[in-house]
Amino acid sequence: MSSINSQFWPLFFLFFLAWQLPRGVFTCTPADRSALSGFSDSLDAGIAAWPGGCGGAVNSSSDCCRWPGVHCRLFGASELRVVRLDLAGRGLAGGLNLQGGSLARLEKLSFLNLSLNSLHGPIPPELLLRMPRLRVLDLSHNSFTGELGDAAASSDPGYSELVHLDVSFNSLSVLRDGVFRRLPRLRNFSAESNLLARTVPHTLSSCSELEHLNMENNSLHGALDLNFTRLPRLRAVRLGWNLLRGRIPASLSHCRHLRVVNLRRNFLSGPVPSAFRRLQSMAFFNVGNNSITGIAQALQVLQDCRALSVLILTMNFHGEEMPAGGDGGDTGGVRGFPRLQLLGIASCALRGAVPPWLRVSAHLTVLDLSWNRLTGTVPPWLGGFDALYRIDLSGNALTGDIPLALTRLKSLAAGDDMKASQQKLRLSDYGVRLYNWHVDRGELWYDANIPPSLDLSQNGLAGAIPPEIGDMRQLNILNLSCNALSGPIPARLASLASLQALDLSHNELAGEIPASLTGLTFLSCFDVSYNRLRGVIPNVSQFSTFPCSSFAGNPGLHGEYCDGDALGRVGTGANGWWSYDTVGEIFGLPFLLGFADGLVVTVLFAYVMSPYQRTLQGKVGVARN
């Protein structure tokens, strides 16, 4: 105890002395205060709560370390220096003019965040090249224009210590090659959603410590011939929504830590490189909406990527044969993907059947094989998955009955404890944002979770609707439209308490609309048009909001506001106008991905079509966005 006291009291005494020192001893240096004031004065309206800024002229502290967004650290015995400046979302407006020094004079500054403001004009090269201690620079979500870097950067022998650089969501048009030669420590670079229109800068390969590369949603063109062999630490590459051409670079296979590859919506062609089977850490692979060929080779190669969880090959391989699996000579066979959670191979016009190798994917949660030319029946074994809650087989040529086994999917079964235990796909583990789907743009744009849904529309299914579908009580969307289904609408569908969209249109259904369906309080979209229904159209609860077009083509139906033979009439219920475009925006298939490994870089993600907009292309057309 005496030894502890002997160590404690000197520390306590020093702390007591420090507390008694004059307050001015521990204030920011005049140089830092002058630099911050100069920066604030250079803006259109100053910075709120800073001296001279809006609302802060009278009572603001003379100690700049107490100003909002300013963080200081003690150097030496009593020198407080500004080390962090976090002014994200503080309404800053104007240009960044650093010619007088200002921010560049903050010698100890290591963190600068000016994101989510209204700054415009060029990005001063001094931010990148004249601040030797700066490690984090975030200028995202502003209105910066022009070039990143300057022409003189390549001749400057100095280097920057930047580790994280984010200039995404601006209007930059050029990335100077020289700037990356000055950033040997760079680990995270994002220039997403700008106006970049040149090739991918070759000098990015000089950033040997790069881990996350995000240049999505630009107009980058030419071949993707970046030397990935010099980027051994790369974990995520996101170059989707560009104009890249040529082949997928095989050199990516040298990035052994690569976890996320997102190249969707470009003009890439050729096969998936055979060397990709070496990517044992890759969990997310999206080359949707390109011109990739050779689906058999792609599946044979990618099945060797043992960590693969999300595979999106949508809108490629046009007209090829869906591999059935098995061993096959020199080319090998498709064994399956044991760890796969999401598979999207939609809109490829593939021939064949629903592939049996899917049975290996015991963890599958989302399956989209829509808008191909698959034939045969809906396999009963699809009902044997424990986690599968989203099935889209629409737009094929499947025949036969709806298998009863499909209604036994555990993840869609009844039970209050099911919602808590349901293993829905967490795409937030991979780093992507979602928006709404627009069919003629071929992209998904949404901001919600993937809804539990079953879409078998646009096929040749016959027979009755199994009443047991009413046991799939977690369903949000049920679409059986445009088939040859007959018999009555099962009253047990009223058990689907979470149902938001029900489309049974364009079938051969007969009988009355069950009155029990009026108890579906979450139902926002309902369509039974073009069947053989008869009786009274309900006009209570949600049904009073549905348009007459939801009941058209049924001469035996009649109601207070419209009859079933009314073609194309628009209802004006409690919610006023309702259109199929609105339905498509609400019920477009959503995703939410987010990859976090160190600093998080978020990107846009797209892969499948909205069931309602696709189904209704022939009815109303979808406005281009």
Side-chain angles (χ1 to χ4, degrees), residues 28-43 46-47 50-51 63-72 81-85 87 101-106 109 112:
C28 68
T29 62
D32 284 359
R33 188 183 192 281
S34 175
L36 292 176
S37 296
F39 170 61
S40 179
D41 292 343
S42 70
L43 300 175
I47 300 175
W50 284 21
D63 180 7
C64 66
C65 294
R66 298 175 181 268
W67 298 355
V70 180
H71 304 267
C72 298
R81 301 300 304 270
V82 176
V83 294
R84 289 171 55 94
L85 191 56
L87 299 174
S102 61
L103 292 181
R105 300 202 309 269
L106 297 173
L109 191 68
L112 177 58

Side-chain angles (χ1 to χ4, degrees), residues 65-212:
C65 294
R66 298 175 181 268
W67 298 355
V70 180
H71 304 267
C72 298
R73 186 159 67 88
L74 190 65
F75 288 83
S78 61
E79 187 179 52
L80 274 179
R81 301 300 304 270
V82 176
V83 294
R84 289 171 55 94
L85 191 56
D86 189 350
L87 299 174
R90 291 187 176 270
L92 309 187
L96 289 182
N97 184 0
L98 304 188
Q99 291 183 355
S102 61
L103 292 181
R105 300 202 309 269
L106 297 173
E107 299 173 354
K108 304 295 185 181
L109 191 68
S110 63
F111 179 99
L112 177 58
N113 186 356
L114 302 177
S115 65
L116 296 166
N117 284 295
S118 299
L119 301 171
H120 57 79
I123 295 175
E126 293 88 346
L127 281 179
L128 303 176
L129 309 176
R130 299 289 185 270
M131 302 184 71
R133 291 181 178 267
L134 195 62
R135 294 176 60 82
V136 174
L137 177 59
D138 191 343
L139 303 175
S140 62
H141 295 272
N142 280 285
S143 300
F144 289 113
T145 56
E147 303 178 351
L148 180 67
D150 62 0
S154 58
S155 61
D156 195 318
Y159 293 96
S160 169
E161 293 294 317
L162 271 180
V163 172
H164 178 86
L165 175 58
D166 191 347
V167 293
S168 56
F169 296 94
N170 282 286
S171 297
L172 299 174
S173 56
V174 176
L175 296 180
R176 287 284 182 181
D177 276 350
V179 71
F180 295 106
R181 294 193 181 97
R182 299 284 311 279
L183 304 174
R185 302 282 185 257
L186 194 63
R187 295 181 187 174
N188 304 280
F189 176 64
S190 178
E192 176 189 348
S193 297
N194 278 277
L195 303 175
L196 304 175
R198 297 186 178 182
T199 58
V200 177
H202 296 165
T203 52
L204 270 169
S205 60
S206 64
C207 303
S208 59
E209 297 185 20
L210 194 65
E211 296 181 2
H212 300 93

Side-chain angles (χ1 to χ4, degrees), residues 254-276:
H254 291 272
C255 305
R256 299 300 178 86
H257 301 288
L258 197 60
R259 178 171 168 79
V260 174
V261 177
N262 198 341
L263 301 173
R264 85 293 183 234
R265 199 169 178 80
N266 278 284
F267 295 93
L268 300 173
S269 57
V272 173
S274 298
F276 270 35

Side-chain angles (χ1 to χ4, degrees), residues 352-354 373-379 393 396-401 459-461:
V354 177
R373 298 174 183 171
L374 301 180
T375 56
T377 60
V378 177
L393 299 178
N396 282 287
L398 301 173
T399 56
D401 298 337
N459 279 286
L461 302 177

Side-chain angles (χ1 to χ4, degrees), residues 113-413:
N113 186 356
L114 302 177
S115 65
L116 296 166
N117 284 295
S118 299
L119 301 171
H120 57 79
I123 295 175
E126 293 88 346
L127 281 179
L128 303 176
L129 309 176
R130 299 289 185 270
M131 302 184 71
R133 291 181 178 267
L134 195 62
R135 294 176 60 82
V136 174
L137 177 59
D138 191 343
L139 303 175
S140 62
H141 295 272
N142 280 285
S143 300
F144 289 113
T145 56
E147 303 178 351
L148 180 67
D150 62 0
S154 58
S155 61
D156 195 318
Y159 293 96
S160 169
E161 293 294 317
L162 271 180
V163 172
H164 178 86
L165 175 58
D166 191 347
V167 293
S168 56
F169 296 94
N170 282 286
S171 297
L172 299 174
S173 56
V174 176
L175 296 180
R176 287 284 182 181
D177 276 350
V179 71
F180 295 106
R181 294 193 181 97
R182 299 284 311 279
L183 304 174
R185 302 282 185 257
L186 194 63
R187 295 181 187 174
N188 304 280
F189 176 64
S190 178
E192 176 189 348
S193 297
N194 278 277
L195 303 175
L196 304 175
R198 297 186 178 182
T199 58
V200 177
H202 296 165
T203 52
L204 270 169
S205 60
S206 64
C207 303
S208 59
E209 297 185 20
L210 194 65
E211 296 181 2
H212 300 93
L213 173 61
N214 177 14
M215 298 174 68
E216 292 224 353
N217 195 26
N218 284 284
S219 297
L220 298 169
H221 61 268
L224 181 55
D225 53 2
L226 189 64
N227 187 358
F228 287 99
T229 60
R230 298 177 61 187
L231 301 173
R233 299 186 179 185
L234 197 63
R235 294 177 179 272
V237 54
R238 300 183 174 94
L239 295 170
W241 278 59
N242 280 290
L243 305 173
L244 299 174
R245 296 182 179 274
R247 303 208 165 193
I248 301 172
S251 62
L252 270 171
S253 64
H254 291 272
C255 305
R256 299 300 178 86
H257 301 288
L258 197 60
R259 178 171 168 79
V260 174
V261 177
N262 198 341
L263 301 173
R264 85 293 183 234
R265 199 169 178 80
N266 278 284
F267 295 93
L268 300 173
S269 57
V272 173
S274 298
F276 270 35
R277 53 174 37 100
R278 286 183 277 186
L279 295 174
Q280 295 300 298
S281 297
M282 187 170 67
F284 178 98
F285 185 70
N286 185 354
V287 291
N289 206 341
N290 280 281
S291 297
I292 307 301
T293 56
I295 186 172
Q297 175 178 331
L299 295 173
Q300 291 158 13
V301 168
L302 296 171
Q303 69 186 355
D304 289 335
C305 302
R306 292 180 294 181
L308 195 61
S309 298
V310 176
L311 176 58
I312 301 165
L313 304 172
T314 292
M315 299 184 76
N316 289 290
F317 317 115
H318 298 295
E320 295 186 21
E321 183 83 15
M322 173 71 81
D327 298 322
D330 295 335
T331 61
V334 180
R335 304 181 306 276
F337 299 81
R339 298 190 62 176
L340 202 64
Q341 291 182 272
L342 183 151
L343 177 64
I345 315 181
S347 302
C348 298
L350 295 175
R351 295 171 283 110
V354 177
W357 46 262
L358 281 174
R359 303 179 74 169
V360 176
S361 304
H363 303 288
L364 197 64
T365 62
V366 176
L367 173 65
D368 186 356
L369 299 178
S370 63
W371 295 92
N372 286 292
R373 298 174 183 171
L374 301 180
T375 56
T377 60
V378 177
W381 46 260
L382 281 177
F385 289 92
D386 290 339
L388 187 61
Y389 68 92
R390 160 73 187 181
I391 299 177
D392 192 346
L393 299 178
S394 62
N396 282 287
L398 301 173
T399 56
D401 298 337
I402 299 174
L404 189 61
L406 200 61
T407 68
R408 303 190 183 113
L409 283 167
K410 292 182 179 180
S411 60
L412 296 175

Side-chain angles (χ1 to χ4, degrees), residues 57 64 146 290 298 333-334 337 347 353 421 423 426 440 444 489 513 563 598 612:
C64 66
N290 280 281
V334 180
F337 299 81
S347 302
S421 61
Q423 297 180 358
R426 290 182 53 86
D440 46 357
L444 181 74
I489 298 175
I513 298 175
D563 295 324
Y612 281 86

